Amino acid sequence: RAPASVARAMQSLLSPSMMLRSGVALCRSAGLRRTGVLANRKDGVLNARVVRPVTVTAAAAAASTTTSVASGESSMRDADGKDISGAGIRRRFLEFYEARDHARLPSSSLVPEDPTVLLTIAGMLQFKPVFMGQEERKVPTATTTQKCVRTNDIENVGVTARHHTFFEMLGNFSFGDYFKKEAIAWAWEISTKEYGLDASRIWISVFREDDEAYAIWRDEIGIPENRIKRMDEADNFWAAGPTGPCGPCSELYWDFHPERGVDGSEDLDDDSRFIEFYNLVFMESVRDTDGNMKPLKRKNIDTGMGLERMAQILQGKPNNYETDLIRPIIDAAASMAGISYDDADDATKLKLKVIGDHTRAVCYLISDGVLPSNVGRGYIVRRLLRRVVRCGRLLGVKAPDGAGAFTPAIARVAIGLSEACDANVLKSSQKICDELEREELRFATTLGRGEEILADMLAAAKTKDAKAPKLTGEDAFTLYDTYGFPLDITTDVATEAGGGGGGGKGERR
């Protein structure tokens, strides 16, 4: 395509219907290789290979995606005319702290330098050596938007309003510069003045022994005592490990239902009413090998604001998935399946949310060099992508005309939304689309064989016990060892069919 036509197509990136009319041209044109698939079936097994002509320039892709993201940034405004799009919330946070002498630093890779951590799971990770006293600070204060991936509660993705595998953490940090008073004051200012949140709907938690933070919130900020909760170590005390820097936390919560009133019985962990959106860590102590704590010579501040959570609050959405950070990806998948998210039942919405969340995660992971495999980080990419493929198949998501895979077209929407967080994702567009296509085609064969065998196993289990059918560990192991069918997919299918997964020796560790 000519660059002008590419730009026009990309300007409508946030409109799934327009994206789909372009088809996988969003992956094929705009600087990516045009892709075809040759397939044949032998002995009941689908064999496919990807055929690609010569690569064209990626310059048009960079320009058109920039245009599409920029056009989406200003499309959402609050009553005061302030930008409340995901991109706007991110930009305003960083500018707020830059105006207060914080150095804006880039996100670190999802592959951390810290050998004790598999993936980057928090904004402070890139500064851990400074907090631990292993490196000298390069700046006294900093602000970042950090890309993060957590998979410890993958089963909650799409089930709750707030759980994700991929998310962005906005943060401001002090390395021996300011401390509690300033951190609390600025957290309140950005929440109520910059973002315009109703002060009467913000609740505060503090560590049970942190009288200093409690007094600042009550006496200097003016929070009524009945909206300040003292909490224990599990919720409001941070530590780098058994030894090293540690300190109390203070968190800001948004109240979705102030009409329920205040009677002292409120539980800030009640997801139906509250959501934590800003966490302030006051790193003031160091713990030795005997468990004794001494004051740190240089006290630090580590904070994190969930971008998706703040978008949910400011955009008035019932969950993070319906914000402009994820909804365009969901709508693209829904359109490719010929359905509407708004009209879908809960089970269908759950699958669409999984597609939206996991697609974001794999795009950023592949961009950072993590490719699908059976070990370590690579297995996380493979697992997430296979969940996308299975959900897409169950929903009837169709690949665009001439393509053998649907995941690249959906990924292109996520890539178009990524630039303000990490410009390298756009630069890696070709690699991301290629990897998604290869992995989807490879898994399609495994999925087809495995589902047939699993269906027979489930039917046999129901014959033995119709009320509580169960697959054995032997069943799960056979599916994995003989047919390459992943345990997590076996568990998903069995759970949906009412026959709990077997686990046992087939389980990956």
Side-chain angles (χ1 to χ4, degrees):
R1 292 176 185 262
S5 64
V6 173
R8 284 194 296 272
M10 294 297 291
Q11 284 171 353
S12 299
L13 183 63
L14 298 183
S15 167
S17 60
M18 183 61 189
M19 186 278 293
L20 293 169
R21 283 198 293 273
S22 317
V24 282
L26 294 173
C27 265
R28 295 171 172 173
S29 65
L32 302 184
R33 288 181 286 186
R34 191 168 180 81
T35 304
V37 178
L38 297 182
N40 67 289
R41 187 175 294 275
K42 182 178 181 181
D43 298 327
V45 177
L46 178 67
N47 297 289
R49 62 189 179 93
V50 181
V51 181
R52 299 182 180 85
V54 179
T55 303
V56 297
T57 176
S64 58
T65 302
T66 300
T67 301
S68 68
V69 173
S71 66
E73 288 182 5
S74 58
S75 61
M76 306 181 75
R77 301 281 176 179
D78 63 14
D80 296 323
K82 291 185 177 181
D83 189 351
I84 56 170
S85 66
I89 295 168
R90 180 196 298 115
R91 174 182 52 76
R92 290 164 64 190
F93 183 96
L94 297 172
E95 290 176 352
F96 178 91
Y97 281 103
E98 278 187 304
R100 287 152 184 81
D101 298 322
H102 288 61
R104 184 191 297 203
L105 301 180
S107 171
S108 62
S109 171
L110 285 171
V111 180
E113 295 182 3
D114 186 341
T116 68
V117 183
L118 189 65
L119 294 169
T120 298
I121 58 173
M124 60 76 62
L125 200 59
Q126 65 171 303
F127 305 118
K128 186 177 176 181
V130 178
F131 290 142
M132 298 286 286
Q134 298 166 349
E135 292 182 7
E136 287 298 315
R137 67 182 190 181
K138 295 179 176 64
V139 293
T141 58
T143 185
T144 66
T145 179
Q146 175 64 52
K147 53 190 177 182
C148 302
V149 169
R150 295 179 187 173
T151 58
N152 57 310
D153 49 9
I154 190 173
E155 69 280 356
N156 287 323
V157 170
V159 177
T160 72
R162 59 181 178 81
H163 279 93
H164 301 287
T165 54
F166 177 87
F167 58 95
E168 280 187 63
M169 190 63 74
L170 304 170
N172 55 288
F173 306 89
S174 169
F175 313 108
D177 191 78
Y178 62 85
F179 201 49
K180 288 184 186 180
K181 184 175 181 179
E182 295 87 349
I184 289 173
W186 285 335
W188 187 252
E189 183 181 356
I190 194 172
S191 299
T192 60
K193 302 299 183 184
E194 177 61 37
Y195 291 138
L197 296 182
D198 182 346
S200 69
R201 295 177 64 177
I202 299 176
W203 290 60
I204 305 298
S205 71
V206 298
F207 179 52
R208 66 169 186 265
E209 299 171 10
D210 193 355
D211 294 332
E212 180 184 4
Y214 189 99
I216 294 172
W217 283 115
R218 181 192 60 197
D219 302 335
E220 300 189 29
I221 304 301
I223 305 295
E225 287 191 287
N226 61 3
R227 293 213 320 272
I228 307 176
K229 296 280 190 179
R230 292 183 184 268
M231 301 178 76
D232 294 331
E233 286 95 341
D235 296 297
N236 281 69
F237 195 88
W238 177 89
T243 62
C246 55
C249 307
S250 186
E251 298 168 325
L252 286 75
Y253 291 77
W254 178 250
D255 185 354
F256 287 109
H257 296 286
E259 73 278 2
R260 295 182 186 176
V262 180
D263 61 12
S265 65
E266 296 79 18
D267 179 4
L268 295 181
D269 289 329
D270 178 4
D271 288 346
S272 70
R273 178 169 179 177
F274 300 104
I275 187 170
E276 175 208 334
F277 66 88
Y278 207 175
N279 183 25
L280 317 177
V281 178
F282 310 125
M283 217 174 294
E284 60 187 21
S285 304
V286 60
R287 181 184 286 142
D288 62 24
T289 54
D290 295 324
N292 300 314
M293 290 196 294
K294 297 179 181 179
L296 271 176
K297 292 182 180 179
R298 189 173 68 191
K299 298 179 179 180
N300 305 306
I301 291 291
D302 158 29
T303 80
M305 175 185 286
L307 174 61
E308 292 81 5
R309 296 185 184 194
M310 182 55 75
Q312 178 192 349
I313 295 168
L314 293 180
Q315 295 175 16
K317 301 299 183 181
N319 55 67
N320 295 355
Y321 297 93
E322 297 186 32
T323 69
D324 69 328
L325 293 164
I326 307 175
R327 180 64 184 263
I329 309 170
I330 289 174
D331 284 343
S335 183
M336 293 171 71
I339 58 179
S340 164
Y341 173 85
D342 291 327
D343 297 333
D345 59 27
D346 289 343
T348 298
K349 285 184 176 180
L350 172 59
K351 293 179 179 65
L352 288 169
K353 290 173 183 175
V354 168
I355 291 174
D357 172 87
H358 290 7
T359 299
R360 287 211 304 169
V362 297
C363 286
Y364 281 88
L365 283 164
I366 292 172
S367 174
D368 278 347
V370 184
L371 304 182
S373 73
N374 284 329
V375 295
R377 301 180 182 99
Y379 182 69
I380 290 175
V381 173
R382 174 158 287 169
R383 182 185 183 194
L384 295 175
L385 183 52
R386 286 177 169 183
R387 284 170 62 90
V388 170
V389 173
R390 180 170 181 270
C391 286
R393 284 166 59 100
L394 290 173
L395 293 174
V397 175
K398 305 296 184 185
D401 291 343
F406 67 81
T407 51
I410 298 174
R412 189 59 194 160
V413 181
I415 293 169
L417 295 167
S418 70
E419 189 171 25
C421 175
D422 180 7
N424 288 323
V425 177
L426 175 62
K427 297 176 184 177
S428 303
S429 295
Q430 179 174 301
K431 177 174 72 172
I432 293 168
C433 289
D434 287 351
E435 288 296 334
L436 294 181
E437 184 172 55
R438 275 194 289 267
E439 188 69 11
E440 180 182 341
L441 292 174
R442 182 183 298 120
F443 183 53
T445 302
T446 299
L447 192 59
R449 288 201 309 262
E451 282 181 331
E452 292 177 2
I453 297 164
L454 179 54
D456 292 339
M457 289 178 173
L458 286 168
K462 289 180 179 179
T463 299
K464 294 179 180 179
D465 187 346
K467 293 184 178 180
K470 287 188 179 296
L471 291 179
T472 66
E474 191 72 30
D475 291 333
F477 180 74
T478 298
L479 282 165
Y480 174 73
D481 185 56
T482 305
Y483 303 101
F485 203 71
L487 177 67
D488 49 285
I489 300 296
T490 298
T491 302
D492 287 347
V493 175
T495 300
E496 291 167 5
K505 62 180 178 179
E507 187 171 357
R508 286 188 60 92
R509 295 292 183 187

